Amino acid sequence: MTLSPAEQLAESRLELLDRVIGLEQQVKELQAASLLSPSETVAVERNLASIRGSLTWRAGRFVTLPVRAARHFKRRVLG
């Protein structure tokens, strides 16, 4: 069965659209992938752990606890 020129054009447009969607998905996957080497990842995780263990971080978490609790309550109960 032969396709008319209009049908061939529609077919090629659909193929192109499918290709674009696939490429967009690949871009999203690559953006989500870690860009750090394993040693850099370990260093960053160690740095984050030291920050989270600091007195300043813990004090800030304590001070902002009521705001975080209210936001959680609002999301769960009201919205």
Side-chain angles (χ1 to χ4, degrees):
M1 175 164 107
T2 14
L3 297 175
S4 70
E7 291 172 332
Q8 288 176 347
L9 181 60
E11 181 84 19
S12 67
R13 285 183 179 168
L14 286 175
E15 288 173 0
L16 180 61
L17 181 61
D18 186 47
R19 177 78 175 136
V20 168
I21 291 171
L23 290 173
E24 287 175 343
Q25 184 61 36
Q26 284 181 341
V27 167
K28 287 179 186 177
E29 290 172 4
L30 290 172
Q31 287 175 340
S34 176
L35 301 177
L36 299 176
S37 71
S39 61
E40 290 173 327
T41 301
V42 169
V44 168
E45 288 173 353
R46 187 178 297 133
N47 190 19
L48 182 59
S50 69
I51 290 171
R52 287 188 174 164
S54 71
L55 179 61
T56 307
W57 174 269
R58 289 183 284 149
R61 293 282 293 175
F62 180 75
V63 169
T64 61
L65 180 63
V67 175
R68 290 182 287 122
R71 189 179 307 139
H72 180 74
F73 176 78
K74 179 182 171 188
R75 269 189 258 134
R76 293 286 182 159
V77 176
L78 303 177

